[in-house]
Amino acid sequence: MKVNEGEMVMIESPTEFADKIGLEYAKGSNQSDKKERGQFFTPIPIAKFMANLAKTNNTHYDILDPGFGTGILTSALIEHQIESNSELKSVVITAYETDESIILYAEQTLQNLKLWAISKGVELSYKLISGDFIASNYQYLSEPAENYDIIITNPPYYKLGKDHISIQQCKELVSGQPNIYSFFLGIGAALLREDGDIISITPRSFSSGRYFQAFRDFFFSKVNLMHVHLFDSRRSSFSRDKVLQEVLILKATKNSSYIPTNVMISSSGGMSDLQNPIIKTYDITMVIDSKSTQKVVHIPINDNEEQVLNLVLGWDCKLADLNINISTGPVVTFRATKFLVDHDAKLEAEFCPLIRLHNVTKMELKYPYKLKGKADKILILKESMPILLPNKDYVLLRRFSTKDDKSRLIAAPYLSAVTQSDFVGIDNAVNYIYRKNGTLNYDEIMGLSALLNCNLFDTYFRIFNGNVNVSATELREMRFPNLETIKEIGNQIIAENNLSNDRVNEIINNMFFKLTPQQKDK
Ligand SMILES: C[S@@+](CC[C@H](N)C(=O)[O-])C[C@H]1O[C@@H](n2cnc3c(N)ncnc32)[C@H](O)[C@@H]1O
């Protein structure tokens, strides 16, 4: 691509130039290569928003952009720095990129940036490294180095197979199947100077869950969360903004000497209103629950969510404190095919019910209710014993919702009267809640089911979980009201015998707070 340097400096901002170069590159590359490399370039409004989060008080900056692409993030950052920091004298940029076919394009962006900076009186030099950021820097996880003042990144996102070399290299960050983006953030945090900022756009999946536990432990031991931006689907009218629901922008800062007490949380419907986000400041203990060993990140983005979070943080119990357990159903159907019974069998001595995801609906277990091709019974044999449960009362909770489900949490009471059998099979797609050395009483069963199904709990869940999975680990970390309150809810439901969603929500909202207009509308 031939570029007239004089025009470039005069006419185009570096950010727009990088965007153009990105489009140019995209024309010549195929979609599946881009997908494989996790190659999605940041749009201009997001790059500018991220750039504006960086501090602007130094005379010199060392900047890192790992996974450089065509450099739109660094371009926006330099543009913002030069325009808002009159003291700035010099900048050194370090960029990593594994895709050799992009390097020439990246070089053009950096050349343009250099000329533009010089024209503004700022000295700019750069190192463009054609290589793997993780392989070149993972050693800093065990021996952090103070190399950079600002790290800005839109890293690749994809899950790594268990034999991937980076998993060995970054074991400090691994607790289950990792996503490559967490390695970029973890290593980034280990490379920051005191007062340094890391600014990123990544999936929000790291905010909860066991798979990101090691990452959260590492990351939040190195940096403090300062700002989170979320995209709120309810406020966006553009369908293309839907993809943004899965991601978040964050800024975290390394301050070893003091721990900031506040976190800024902003939200916008999408990109068009990104320059006018709704911003609110929260106490850090509200966002990262200090009582939780899991460092789950709560991100409330409206008054309703804030009200729910305030309420829930006043609850002191976890399920374990109530002597209640939650586990995942032990029947993995594809491994248990020889035990599954798919015909209309009647002999309960030999079979017991197999409860599957579709049997669990809000406040109601639908059994028998058989879907074609889905066995609904399981043989009781010596060999199948390890995957059967004693037939007693449980609360069942779906492990997955679909994007179309109105609610992430779908729970039903399971009462042992469903079958004469001494056993029941519970599919792996369902969590079951029980009392280990005893039984859950009927009022506890109904109270817990109502609580899990209500809008309030669904809101609580969404504040920290951006995906459709409902893991037992996450439920163990959630806060619950005390047992008396749970029983009171249960007794009211039992007395009224009205299991409708509306009534369940009314009972719970009346119990915990006066209805807000949003809750009435829900
Ligand atoms: C999501 S894209 C973002 C590009 C650019 N930063 C932006 O915001 O438009 C991530 C980039 O990282 C590159 N990449 C993937 N794995 C990498 C690695 N291990 N080291 C360095 N770069 C990598 C990809 O080729 C891709 O260009």
Side-chain angles (χ1 to χ4, degrees):
M1 184 192 198
K2 195 168 178 304
V3 189
N4 178 333
E5 286 173 359
E7 271 181 17
M8 227 159 51
V9 174
M10 299 302 293
I11 299 168
E12 281 176 308
S13 80
T15 315
E16 275 154 19
F17 182 85
D19 187 53
K20 235 190 230 180
I21 293 275
L23 290 173
E24 198 69 32
Y25 165 79
K27 269 192 232 157
S29 65
N30 81 43
Q31 253 339 84
S32 73
D33 282 355
K34 286 185 78 188
K35 202 167 173 203
E36 202 165 296
R37 296 194 177 102
Q39 213 164 51
F40 298 98
F41 297 151
T42 312
I44 291 178
I46 293 183
K48 287 192 169 170
F49 180 87
M50 290 171 66
N52 287 0
L53 295 178
K55 61 172 173 216
T56 50
N57 51 359
N58 290 19
T59 54
H60 172 87
Y61 284 109
D62 283 299
I63 291 171
L64 169 68
D65 186 339
F68 189 72
T70 56
I72 191 161
L73 290 180
T74 292
S75 300
L77 179 63
I78 300 297
E79 202 172 332
H80 172 66
Q81 288 292 333
I82 290 181
E83 278 165 2
S84 50
N85 178 2
S86 56
E87 301 300 308
L88 186 63
K89 300 276 180 291
S90 56
V91 177
V92 176
I93 296 164
T94 304
Y96 283 86
E97 178 53 60
T98 37
D99 178 2
E100 285 172 13
S101 66
I102 223 173
I103 291 290
L104 280 179
Y105 294 86
E107 182 73 41
Q108 287 186 56
T109 299
L110 286 162
Q111 271 299 326
N112 175 60
L113 200 52
K114 182 171 177 158
L115 292 174
W116 187 84
I118 290 169
S119 78
K120 304 282 178 185
V122 173
E123 197 184 310
L124 186 148
S125 59
Y126 62 83
K127 280 178 272 183
L128 174 57
I129 300 163
S130 176
D132 184 332
F133 169 68
I134 296 172
S136 311
N137 293 281
Y138 71 90
Q139 70 273 18
Y140 296 113
L141 289 171
S142 48
E143 279 181 44
E146 306 221 325
N147 290 353
Y148 301 104
D149 304 293
I150 303 177
I151 299 173
I152 191 157
T153 183
N154 174 1
Y157 323 144
Y158 53 84
K159 288 181 183 158
L160 295 169
K162 66 179 186 332
D163 298 325
H164 199 285
I165 176 82
S166 306
I167 294 186
Q168 273 303 314
Q169 294 168 337
C170 300
K171 33 187 187 314
E172 290 89 339
L173 304 174
V174 177
S175 49
Q177 187 183 18
N179 191 309
I180 190 168
Y181 79 80
S182 65
F183 293 176
F184 276 66
L185 292 190
I187 297 172
L191 286 170
L192 276 182
R193 284 192 184 130
E194 186 65 13
D195 280 333
D197 293 332
I198 179 163
I199 299 160
S200 61
I201 178 164
T202 65
R204 62 174 293 188
S205 49
F206 72 86
S207 62
S208 67
R210 194 161 43 98
Y211 284 9
F212 289 96
Q213 179 66 61
F215 164 74
R216 288 196 300 276
D217 281 343
F218 184 91
F219 190 70
F220 292 121
S221 72
K222 296 275 174 285
V223 292
N224 297 306
L225 190 59
M226 306 298 286
H227 190 135
V228 179
H229 182 88
L230 271 191
F231 297 94
D232 179 2
S233 57
R234 284 157 292 189
R235 297 216 309 272
S236 177
S237 45
F238 296 103
S239 60
R240 71 180 156 75
D241 284 338
K242 287 232 159 57
V243 59
L244 294 174
Q245 307 320 313
E246 312 292 326
V247 298
L248 62 72
I249 293 169
L250 76 73
K251 169 184 164 178
T253 302
K254 180 171 168 182
N255 340 87
S256 321
S257 48
Y258 79 103
I259 297 177
T261 50
N262 292 324
V263 181
M264 201 116 82
I265 295 188
S266 59
S267 63
S268 64
M271 276 193 279
S272 53
D273 56 342
L274 193 53
Q275 294 316 314
N276 294 306
I278 296 176
I279 304 176
K280 225 166 165 174
T281 301
Y282 291 91
D283 197 282
I284 182 70
T285 55
M286 238 178 125
V287 177
I288 301 181
D289 186 348
S290 52
K291 286 197 185 140
S292 155
T293 50
Q294 302 243 326
K295 294 198 170 69
V296 170
V297 184
H298 297 104
I299 314 169
I301 53 167
N302 55 41
D303 291 346
N304 180 36
E305 293 187 357
E306 182 181 350
Q307 191 185 19
V308 168
L309 189 55
N310 265 320
L311 170 80
V312 164
L313 290 177
W315 294 345
D316 267 339
C317 306
K318 291 190 184 164
L319 284 175
D321 301 319
L322 307 174
N323 189 20
I324 293 175
N325 303 64
I326 176 164
S327 299
T328 299
V331 180
V332 180
T333 46
F334 72 86
R335 290 203 197 111
T337 43
K338 59 177 187 257
F339 304 131
L340 303 186
V341 180
D342 200 8
H343 58 83
D344 200 10
K346 290 271 173 338
L347 285 172
E348 290 215 334
E350 292 171 37
F351 310 112
C352 66
L354 172 60
I355 307 295
R356 310 183 74 150
L357 185 119
H358 66 271
N359 300 118
V360 178
T361 68
K362 276 193 173 271
M363 292 308 286
E364 187 188 357
L365 180 85
K366 289 206 166 125
Y367 190 90
Y369 165 43
K370 188 174 173 317
L371 293 187
K372 196 160 177 264
K374 300 239 176 213
D376 65 347
K377 300 176 196 70
I378 183 161
L379 283 171
I380 303 172
L381 297 172
K382 204 166 140 225
E383 297 85 339
S384 63
M385 272 302 153
I387 56 169
L388 298 182
L389 297 174
N391 181 34
K392 57 182 196 175
D393 296 349
Y394 300 103
V395 176
L396 303 183
L397 176 68
R398 287 190 184 189
R399 274 185 68 207
F400 313 99
S401 57
T402 66
K403 291 251 183 256
D404 298 330
D405 282 326
K406 270 183 99 180
S407 177
R408 298 269 177 85
L409 301 176
I410 298 174
Y414 172 92
L415 302 175
S416 59
V418 161
T419 174
Q420 301 294 314
S421 173
D422 290 337
F423 300 96
V424 59
I426 297 186
D427 187 299
N428 188 248
V430 174
N431 291 312
Y432 63 103
I433 297 174
Y434 58 105
R435 182 158 285 138
K436 207 170 191 172
N437 304 312
T439 46
L440 288 173
N441 297 330
Y442 188 42
D443 52 1
E444 293 171 327
I445 297 256
M446 297 310 280
L448 272 174
S449 300
L451 200 56
L452 289 168
N453 280 318
C454 73
N455 289 345
L456 186 159
F457 228 71
D458 194 59
T459 301
Y460 171 29
F461 189 77
R462 283 172 198 264
I463 293 172
F464 67 81
N465 187 320
N467 63 47
V468 292
N469 299 345
V470 180
S471 79
T473 320
E474 279 170 334
L475 260 290
R476 283 188 205 112
E477 280 299 308
M478 286 179 85
R479 289 172 179 240
F480 283 78
N482 60 34
L483 211 48
E484 288 318 305
T485 311
I486 292 173
K487 287 177 176 197
E488 205 179 321
I489 297 168
N491 283 323
Q492 206 170 329
I493 303 267
I494 295 165
E496 292 189 17
N497 196 22
N498 179 350
L499 302 181
S500 70
N501 281 342
D502 286 349
R503 190 57 197 144
V504 164
N505 281 319
E506 269 167 22
I507 289 175
I508 289 186
N509 287 333
N510 289 343
M511 174 113 5
F512 294 114
F513 40 58
K514 293 216 174 339
L515 288 178
T516 64
Q518 290 103 312
Q519 284 157 344
K520 277 186 190 147
D521 291 346
K522 250 190 149 184

